[in-house]
Amino acid sequence: MSTAESRLTTTAPPGTEKSQATKETLEDYTLRFAPRSYRRWTPMVVATTALGGIAYMADFSIGAGIGLAHGTGNALVAIAVAAVVIFVTGFPLAYYGARYNVDLDLITRGSGFGYYGSVLTSVIFASFTFIFFALEGSIMAQGLKLGLGLPLWLGYAVSTLMVIPLVIFGMKALSKLQVWTTPVWLVLMVAPLVYLIADDPGSVDRFLSYAGTGGEGGVNPASVLLGAGVCLSLIAQIGEQIDYLRFMPPKTEANKRGWWTAVIMAGPGWVVLGALKQAIGVFLAVYIITKVGAAAAPEPIQQFKGAFDAMMPSWLVVPLAVALVVISQIKINVTNAYSGSLAWTNSFTRVTRHYPGRMVFVLVNLGFALVLMEADMFSFLNSILGFYSNCAIAWVVTVATDIGVNKYLLKLSPLQPEFRRGMLHAVNPVGVVAFTAASGLSIAMYFHALGDTLQPYSPVAAAVIAFVLTPLMAIVTKGRYYLRRTGDGIDEPLLDAAGNPSAVTLDCHVCRQPYERPDLTACATHEAVVCSLCLSTDKVGDHVLPAQPVTV
């Protein structure tokens, strides 16, 4: 029997909490390192699955909202600025997730935040998932109202409930869903745009000259930064990309070109397609203003209905527009529900040392999203995203800076990400202080606490403060708070000769399951090893290794 098969058939002692936790987390390695035996997909399948999750329609609304408020010129510059920031900060995070097969929360723990300190960022990421689930659900409800006449409140409920069966099964089901629906989605999205430009070249001139509701035209820094702040709310999307990229196969000489292509394309590269969709959203909004008015222009269902109207018989327009919206909503919201459930479960398990089951938090996340939808969050979308972006920017920039500067330049942060309880301090002031200061000050600026003039610059403040304070705190603390101990008590190396996480398997003496080397530490009270989840749920700390002096 293979290692992977034994994982799915061997059980922990029946009737125990650890038995339930073990069975469930071994479906897609929730909360833990993703072992080599499970990662059987090719780099391109992983990349396609990861990119399938960015089929969301929110980009069209975001771009349209910025374009209508500030004009095409400001919108395009804002979109480009945000895309550059997202790509640069997303690259080191995507690399670490794919190379070491851990999700963004596990990366964050060892990159400046500590074992409990990263609970802060897990909650922020969970918030990202239900905010964007609500946004996508609202867009789908608009489509169902147009196509089937469903009232919005019922459409919100339908868009929420329909993803539950799809998100139960983790990566295996999601990979099939994303791969098979992506071609249909691409055709439905690209075809109307190409047709409009070919059929009406003047639409491009009207798009480029659109001055926005203010009617001033031109490009000015305040408008660009306000627009970029809204776009930068998507910076946390890298967390959802890494939830897939952690299943990348080991990087070898034979596959390194495809491996790097997949990591860049599906990691930071997601923003290229995202920025393109935002620009298309501006184009479609300008195109349909004269048809349905500015009020409906930010709604993707109206944008694509107007585009399909120009190219096909009327009886086919609404069904195709609704099909595009429904496919897009399903593709992204299974990812939002899946990633959000991981983030909530991760935080809850660490704080309470109790694993309630991921499905509990699927329902919690969906409940939050449904409340936002019923509260008509779509009508104040840009305000929500502008506020949220400050927290997301502070977090992502802090972790990216810790990897790029503190690990590789200053060498004060351990090069390999550490996530296991007992190996990390509870809280690392490097990331926690940098994140808290950056997000706190930028939020104050966003709410005009420092004056109206500085308000548009809140996203810049979040990025700059996080970038400066992260290495400064590492220097001040001399890197003392990264590791609680350097050795984990196991002689077997963590990495193999090629620098990939070791595939050597050992049995956890608590849940009696085999795990690969990076997921284990020695036990403090037995001559045995214990897995990371059993460490997390150890209520009295029997298995947690004691601290030891660390020399950085």
Side-chain angles (χ1 to χ4, degrees), residues 522-539:
C523 179
T525 53
H526 299 76
E527 290 293 324
V529 297
V530 59
C531 73
S532 61
L533 183 63
C534 289
L535 284 172
S536 295
T537 54
D538 180 3
K539 290 182 170 59

Side-chain angles (χ1 to χ4, degrees), residues 206-521:
R206 294 192 297 274
F207 159 66
L208 294 174
S209 61
Y210 183 71
T213 53
E216 297 178 3
V219 175
N220 68 81
S223 295
V224 167
L225 291 173
L226 282 169
V230 175
C231 296
L232 283 168
S233 63
L234 296 167
I235 197 170
Q237 177 64 31
I238 191 64
E240 295 194 351
Q241 303 306 112
I242 293 172
D243 279 341
Y244 294 116
L245 287 177
R246 66 193 174 110
F247 296 115
M248 285 286 288
K251 183 170 77 72
T252 64
E253 280 299 312
N255 75 355
K256 65 180 181 181
R257 180 174 296 180
W259 191 93
W260 274 113
T261 300
V263 170
I264 292 172
M265 182 174 69
W270 77 265
V271 77
V272 176
L273 182 56
L276 180 61
K277 289 194 295 172
Q278 290 165 15
I280 292 172
V282 183
F283 176 85
L284 292 176
V286 173
Y287 176 81
I288 68 165
I289 279 176
T290 57
K291 298 179 180 294
V292 297
E299 297 181 9
I301 185 65
Q302 295 291 352
Q303 294 174 0
F304 280 93
K305 178 179 177 294
F308 287 136
D309 246 335
M311 63 180 290
M312 59 185 58
S314 58
W315 60 269
L316 195 55
V317 170
V318 171
L320 277 182
V322 172
L324 174 61
V325 168
V326 170
I327 290 173
S328 299
Q329 190 271 347
I330 291 173
K331 285 171 72 63
I332 182 55
N333 269 354
V334 291
T335 298
N336 282 329
Y338 172 66
S339 295
S341 69
L342 296 185
W344 284 121
T345 309
N346 209 324
S347 301
F348 187 88
T349 301
R350 270 178 293 160
V351 172
T352 66
R353 298 173 190 171
H354 165 69
Y355 182 85
R358 182 169 65 84
M359 276 309 299
V360 172
F361 286 103
V362 168
L363 299 178
V364 168
N365 216 43
L366 296 183
F368 283 135
L370 186 57
V371 169
L372 280 180
M373 284 188 273
E374 298 292 356
D376 191 24
M377 70 156 287
F378 194 83
S379 63
F380 47 94
L381 168 66
N382 280 7
S383 298
I384 291 178
L385 299 184
F387 160 73
Y388 176 81
S389 69
N390 294 291
C391 297
I393 294 165
W395 165 38
V396 171
V397 172
T398 296
V399 178
T401 303
D402 191 87
I403 293 173
V405 178
N406 294 358
K407 291 185 187 298
Y408 284 93
L409 295 181
L410 299 179
K411 302 188 185 302
L412 291 172
S413 177
L415 192 60
Q416 183 178 328
E418 181 58 77
F419 61 91
R420 296 164 295 175
R421 183 182 176 193
M423 300 301 296
L424 294 167
H425 285 281
V427 175
N428 186 343
V430 172
V432 173
V433 170
F435 163 76
T436 303
S439 58
L441 185 57
S442 61
I443 288 171
M445 291 174 64
Y446 180 78
F447 286 110
H448 302 270
L450 302 181
D452 295 343
T453 303
L454 292 178
Q455 194 266 348
Y457 298 89
S458 66
V460 175
V464 171
I465 295 169
F467 180 75
V468 171
L469 277 185
T470 302
L472 181 61
M473 286 300 300
I475 293 170
V476 169
T477 62
K478 299 180 181 178
R480 290 193 302 268
Y481 297 98
Y482 282 97
L483 293 177
R484 185 170 171 265
R485 54 183 294 127
T486 51
D488 61 9
I490 303 176
D491 292 334
E492 185 70 36
L494 276 168
L495 304 179
D496 63 18
N500 294 302
S502 171
V504 172
T505 301
L506 303 169
D507 289 341
C508 170
H509 83 100
V510 178
C511 66
R512 303 177 189 175
Q513 289 283 335
Y515 296 98
E516 290 182 9
R517 170 67 179 89
D519 204 43
L520 299 157
T521 71

Side-chain angles (χ1 to χ4, degrees), residues 49 171-181:
T49 304
M171 178 65 178
K172 291 178 181 178
L174 295 180
S175 62
K176 294 177 182 177
L177 171 71
Q178 302 293 17
V179 168
W180 285 101
T181 56

Side-chain angles (χ1 to χ4, degrees), residues 76-286:
L76 294 181
V77 176
I79 291 167
V81 168
V84 170
V85 173
I86 290 172
F87 189 95
V88 170
T89 57
F91 178 81
L93 276 58
Y95 169 73
Y96 259 58
R99 180 65 162 160
Y100 296 108
N101 312 111
V102 288
D103 66 19
L104 187 50
D105 175 72
L106 303 190
I107 295 171
T108 300
R109 294 183 198 180
S111 297
F113 283 80
Y115 184 74
Y116 291 110
S118 70
V119 170
L120 281 172
T121 58
S122 288
V123 172
I124 287 172
F125 181 53
S127 302
F128 170 85
T129 64
F130 71 69
I131 287 172
F132 278 88
F133 189 108
L135 176 54
E136 289 300 315
S138 297
I139 293 170
M140 180 174 173
Q142 292 163 2
L144 295 176
K145 181 180 179 181
L146 178 67
L148 303 177
L150 289 184
L152 286 177
W153 68 267
L154 183 56
Y156 298 149
V158 170
S159 66
T160 301
L161 295 174
M162 70 185 302
V163 305
I164 294 177
L166 297 170
V167 81
I168 291 173
F169 300 103
M171 178 65 178
K172 291 178 181 178
L174 295 180
S175 62
K176 294 177 182 177
L177 171 71
Q178 302 293 17
V179 168
W180 285 101
T181 56
T182 294
V184 178
W185 173 78
L186 281 172
V187 170
L188 289 175
M189 185 188 74
V190 173
L193 179 71
V194 172
Y195 179 86
L196 288 180
I197 293 174
D199 185 63
D200 181 12
S203 61
V204 177
D205 293 331
R206 294 192 297 274
F207 159 66
L208 294 174
S209 61
Y210 183 71
T213 53
E216 297 178 3
V219 175
N220 68 81
S223 295
V224 167
L225 291 173
L226 282 169
V230 175
C231 296
L232 283 168
S233 63
L234 296 167
I235 197 170
Q237 177 64 31
I238 191 64
E240 295 194 351
Q241 303 306 112
I242 293 172
D243 279 341
Y244 294 116
L245 287 177
R246 66 193 174 110
F247 296 115
M248 285 286 288
K251 183 170 77 72
T252 64
E253 280 299 312
N255 75 355
K256 65 180 181 181
R257 180 174 296 180
W259 191 93
W260 274 113
T261 300
V263 170
I264 292 172
M265 182 174 69
W270 77 265
V271 77
V272 176
L273 182 56
L276 180 61
K277 289 194 295 172
Q278 290 165 15
I280 292 172
V282 183
F283 176 85
L284 292 176
V286 173

